[in-house]
Short mmCIF file of all heavy atoms in Angstrom, two decimals:
data_model
loop_
_atom_site.label_atom_id
_atom_site.label_comp_id
_atom_site.label_asym_id
_atom_site.label_seq_id
_atom_site.Cartn_x
_atom_site.Cartn_y
_atom_site.Cartn_z
N ALA A 722 -43.61 -0.34 5.95
CA ALA A 722 -43.08 -1.38 5.05
C ALA A 722 -44.14 -1.74 4.02
O ALA A 722 -45.23 -2.20 4.37
CB ALA A 722 -42.70 -2.62 5.86
N ILE A 723 -43.82 -1.51 2.75
CA ILE A 723 -44.73 -1.84 1.66
C ILE A 723 -44.18 -3.11 1.02
O ILE A 723 -43.31 -3.07 0.15
CB ILE A 723 -44.83 -0.69 0.64
CG1 ILE A 723 -45.26 0.62 1.34
CG2 ILE A 723 -45.76 -1.03 -0.51
CD1 ILE A 723 -46.67 0.62 1.91
N ASP A 724 -44.64 -4.26 1.53
CA ASP A 724 -44.11 -5.53 1.05
C ASP A 724 -45.00 -6.06 -0.07
O ASP A 724 -45.84 -6.94 0.14
CB ASP A 724 -44.00 -6.52 2.23
CG ASP A 724 -42.93 -6.08 3.22
OD1 ASP A 724 -41.82 -5.74 2.77
OD2 ASP A 724 -43.19 -6.06 4.43
N LYS A 746 -40.77 2.17 3.24
CA LYS A 746 -39.72 1.15 3.08
C LYS A 746 -40.10 0.21 1.95
O LYS A 746 -41.16 -0.41 1.98
CB LYS A 746 -39.53 0.35 4.36
CG LYS A 746 -38.42 -0.72 4.22
CD LYS A 746 -38.12 -1.42 5.52
CE LYS A 746 -38.84 -2.72 5.70
NZ LYS A 746 -38.32 -3.86 4.91
N GLY A 748 -38.51 -3.08 -0.31
CA GLY A 748 -37.46 -4.08 -0.19
C GLY A 748 -37.21 -4.83 -1.49
O GLY A 748 -37.62 -4.40 -2.57
N ASP A 772 -34.51 -1.21 1.32
CA ASP A 772 -34.05 -2.32 2.17
C ASP A 772 -33.53 -3.45 1.28
O ASP A 772 -34.21 -4.45 1.07
CB ASP A 772 -35.23 -2.78 3.04
CG ASP A 772 -34.81 -3.74 4.13
OD1 ASP A 772 -33.59 -3.89 4.37
OD2 ASP A 772 -35.71 -4.35 4.74
N LYS A 774 -30.39 -5.00 1.67
CA LYS A 774 -29.53 -5.93 2.43
C LYS A 774 -28.36 -6.44 1.57
O LYS A 774 -28.22 -7.65 1.35
CB LYS A 774 -30.34 -7.08 3.01
CG LYS A 774 -31.38 -6.63 4.04
CD LYS A 774 -32.03 -7.82 4.73
CE LYS A 774 -32.95 -7.43 5.87
NZ LYS A 774 -34.16 -6.71 5.48
N ILE A 828 -27.31 -4.64 8.85
CA ILE A 828 -28.08 -5.77 9.36
C ILE A 828 -27.11 -6.59 10.20
O ILE A 828 -26.01 -6.94 9.73
CB ILE A 828 -28.62 -6.64 8.21
CG1 ILE A 828 -29.45 -5.81 7.22
CG2 ILE A 828 -29.41 -7.83 8.74
CD1 ILE A 828 -30.70 -5.19 7.79
N VAL A 830 -27.73 -9.72 13.04
CA VAL A 830 -28.16 -11.11 12.93
C VAL A 830 -29.64 -11.10 12.55
O VAL A 830 -30.45 -10.48 13.25
CB VAL A 830 -27.98 -11.86 14.27
CG1 VAL A 830 -28.49 -13.28 14.17
CG2 VAL A 830 -26.51 -11.84 14.69
N LEU A 831 -29.98 -11.77 11.46
CA LEU A 831 -31.39 -11.84 11.08
C LEU A 831 -32.19 -12.48 12.21
O LEU A 831 -31.73 -13.48 12.80
CB LEU A 831 -31.56 -12.66 9.80
CG LEU A 831 -30.93 -12.07 8.53
CD1 LEU A 831 -30.96 -13.11 7.41
CD2 LEU A 831 -31.63 -10.79 8.10
N THR A 832 -33.35 -11.91 12.50
CA THR A 832 -34.12 -12.47 13.62
C THR A 832 -34.69 -13.85 13.30
O THR A 832 -35.18 -14.53 14.18
CB THR A 832 -35.27 -11.52 14.03
OG1 THR A 832 -35.93 -11.09 12.84
CG2 THR A 832 -34.75 -10.32 14.78
N SER A 833 -34.57 -14.26 12.04
CA SER A 833 -35.01 -15.62 11.69
C SER A 833 -33.97 -16.68 12.09
O SER A 833 -34.24 -17.87 11.99
CB SER A 833 -35.27 -15.69 10.18
OG SER A 833 -34.16 -15.18 9.47
N VAL A 868 -30.24 -2.07 11.96
CA VAL A 868 -31.61 -2.56 12.14
C VAL A 868 -31.53 -3.57 13.28
O VAL A 868 -30.68 -4.46 13.25
CB VAL A 868 -32.13 -3.25 10.86
CG1 VAL A 868 -33.54 -3.80 11.08
CG2 VAL A 868 -32.12 -2.26 9.70
N CYS A 869 -32.37 -3.43 14.27
CA CYS A 869 -32.30 -4.39 15.38
C CYS A 869 -33.69 -4.71 15.89
O CYS A 869 -34.64 -3.96 15.67
CB CYS A 869 -31.43 -3.86 16.51
SG CYS A 869 -32.13 -2.49 17.43
N SER A 870 -33.80 -5.85 16.57
CA SER A 870 -35.09 -6.22 17.13
C SER A 870 -35.35 -5.36 18.36
O SER A 870 -34.42 -4.86 19.01
CB SER A 870 -35.13 -7.71 17.49
OG SER A 870 -34.85 -7.89 18.85
N PRO A 890 -37.86 -3.08 13.49
CA PRO A 890 -39.08 -3.72 12.99
C PRO A 890 -39.69 -4.62 14.08
O PRO A 890 -39.22 -4.62 15.22
CB PRO A 890 -38.57 -4.57 11.82
CG PRO A 890 -37.19 -4.94 12.21
CD PRO A 890 -36.67 -3.85 13.13
N GLY A 891 -40.72 -5.38 13.72
CA GLY A 891 -41.34 -6.28 14.70
C GLY A 891 -42.17 -5.50 15.71
O GLY A 891 -42.24 -5.85 16.88
N ILE A 892 -42.79 -4.42 15.27
CA ILE A 892 -43.56 -3.54 16.14
C ILE A 892 -45.05 -3.84 15.98
O ILE A 892 -45.54 -3.95 14.85
CB ILE A 892 -43.27 -2.06 15.78
CG1 ILE A 892 -41.80 -1.72 16.02
CG2 ILE A 892 -44.20 -1.12 16.53
CD1 ILE A 892 -41.36 -1.80 17.45
N ARG A 893 -45.73 -3.98 17.07
CA ARG A 893 -47.18 -4.22 17.03
C ARG A 893 -47.88 -3.36 18.06
O ARG A 893 -47.68 -3.55 19.26
CB ARG A 893 -47.50 -5.71 17.34
CG ARG A 893 -47.11 -6.67 16.23
CD ARG A 893 -47.97 -6.45 15.01
NE ARG A 893 -47.58 -7.29 13.90
CZ ARG A 893 -46.67 -6.97 12.97
NH1 ARG A 893 -46.02 -5.82 13.03
NH2 ARG A 893 -46.41 -7.80 11.97
N SER A 899 -50.49 -9.95 15.94
CA SER A 899 -49.03 -10.05 15.82
C SER A 899 -48.60 -10.73 14.52
O SER A 899 -47.45 -10.60 14.10
CB SER A 899 -48.44 -10.77 17.03
OG SER A 899 -48.95 -12.06 17.13
N ASP A 901 -46.99 -13.12 11.88
CA ASP A 901 -45.89 -14.08 12.04
C ASP A 901 -44.73 -13.51 12.86
O ASP A 901 -43.70 -14.15 13.01
CB ASP A 901 -45.40 -14.56 10.67
CG ASP A 901 -44.96 -13.42 9.78
OD1 ASP A 901 -45.00 -12.24 10.24
OD2 ASP A 901 -44.55 -13.68 8.64
N GLN A 902 -44.85 -12.32 13.37
CA GLN A 902 -43.81 -11.74 14.22
C GLN A 902 -43.99 -12.32 15.62
O GLN A 902 -45.04 -12.17 16.23
CB GLN A 902 -43.91 -10.21 14.28
CG GLN A 902 -43.72 -9.53 12.94
CD GLN A 902 -42.25 -9.31 12.60
OE1 GLN A 902 -41.35 -9.90 13.21
NE2 GLN A 902 -41.99 -8.47 11.63
N VAL A 920 -40.08 0.38 12.00
CA VAL A 920 -40.56 -0.16 10.73
C VAL A 920 -41.85 -0.91 11.02
O VAL A 920 -41.85 -1.87 11.80
CB VAL A 920 -39.53 -1.12 10.09
CG1 VAL A 920 -40.12 -1.79 8.85
CG2 VAL A 920 -38.25 -0.39 9.76
N ILE A 921 -42.93 -0.47 10.43
CA ILE A 921 -44.24 -1.11 10.66
C ILE A 921 -44.89 -1.39 9.32
O ILE A 921 -45.00 -0.49 8.48
CB ILE A 921 -45.16 -0.21 11.52
CG1 ILE A 921 -44.44 0.25 12.78
CG2 ILE A 921 -46.45 -0.96 11.87
CD1 ILE A 921 -45.28 1.14 13.69
N GLY A 922 -45.30 -2.63 9.13
CA GLY A 922 -45.94 -3.01 7.87
C GLY A 922 -47.42 -3.26 8.06
O GLY A 922 -48.24 -2.35 8.10
N ARG A 923 -47.76 -4.55 8.24
CA ARG A 923 -49.16 -4.97 8.21
C ARG A 923 -50.10 -4.27 9.18
O ARG A 923 -51.26 -4.02 8.81
CB ARG A 923 -49.23 -6.50 8.35
CG ARG A 923 -48.71 -7.19 7.11
CD ARG A 923 -48.31 -8.62 7.36
NE ARG A 923 -47.11 -8.69 8.18
CZ ARG A 923 -46.54 -9.83 8.57
NH1 ARG A 923 -47.07 -10.98 8.21
NH2 ARG A 923 -45.45 -9.80 9.30
N PRO A 924 -49.66 -3.95 10.41
CA PRO A 924 -50.62 -3.26 11.29
C PRO A 924 -51.15 -1.97 10.66
O PRO A 924 -52.26 -1.54 10.97
CB PRO A 924 -49.80 -2.95 12.54
CG PRO A 924 -48.74 -3.99 12.55
CD PRO A 924 -48.40 -4.23 11.10
N ILE A 925 -50.37 -1.36 9.77
CA ILE A 925 -50.85 -0.16 9.09
C ILE A 925 -51.44 -0.50 7.73
O ILE A 925 -52.58 -0.16 7.44
CB ILE A 925 -49.70 0.87 8.96
CG1 ILE A 925 -49.33 1.41 10.35
CG2 ILE A 925 -50.10 2.01 8.01
CD1 ILE A 925 -48.14 2.36 10.38
N THR A 926 -50.69 -1.25 6.91
CA THR A 926 -51.15 -1.45 5.52
C THR A 926 -52.40 -2.33 5.44
O THR A 926 -53.18 -2.19 4.51
CB THR A 926 -50.04 -2.06 4.64
OG1 THR A 926 -49.62 -3.31 5.22
CG2 THR A 926 -48.85 -1.14 4.51
O1 C5P B 1041 -45.74 -6.38 8.50
P1 C5P B 1041 -44.64 -6.22 9.49
O2 C5P B 1041 -44.82 -5.05 10.44
O3 C5P B 1041 -44.29 -7.48 10.21
O4 C5P B 1041 -43.38 -5.82 8.54
C1 C5P B 1041 -42.12 -5.72 9.03
C2 C5P B 1041 -41.13 -5.34 7.97
O5 C5P B 1041 -39.86 -5.33 8.59
C3 C5P B 1041 -41.02 -6.28 6.79
O6 C5P B 1041 -40.67 -5.51 5.62
C4 C5P B 1041 -39.89 -7.20 7.17
O7 C5P B 1041 -39.18 -7.68 6.06
C5 C5P B 1041 -39.01 -6.27 8.00
N1 C5P B 1041 -38.20 -6.95 9.01
C6 C5P B 1041 -38.73 -7.74 10.02
N2 C5P B 1041 -37.92 -8.32 10.96
C7 C5P B 1041 -36.64 -8.14 10.90
C8 C5P B 1041 -36.07 -7.35 9.89
C9 C5P B 1041 -36.90 -6.76 8.97
O8 C5P B 1041 -39.91 -7.93 10.11
N3 C5P B 1041 -35.90 -8.69 11.82
#
Side-chain angles (χ1 to χ4, degrees):
I723 304 294
D724 292 313
K746 180 174 96 75
D772 191 13
K774 296 188 174 67
I828 304 297
V830 177
L831 295 170
T832 46
S833 51
V868 178
C869 70
S870 97
I892 297 295
R893 289 292 176 271
S899 60
D901 58 1
Q902 298 276 16
V920 174
I921 309 180
R923 290 160 290 179
I925 292 176
T926 58

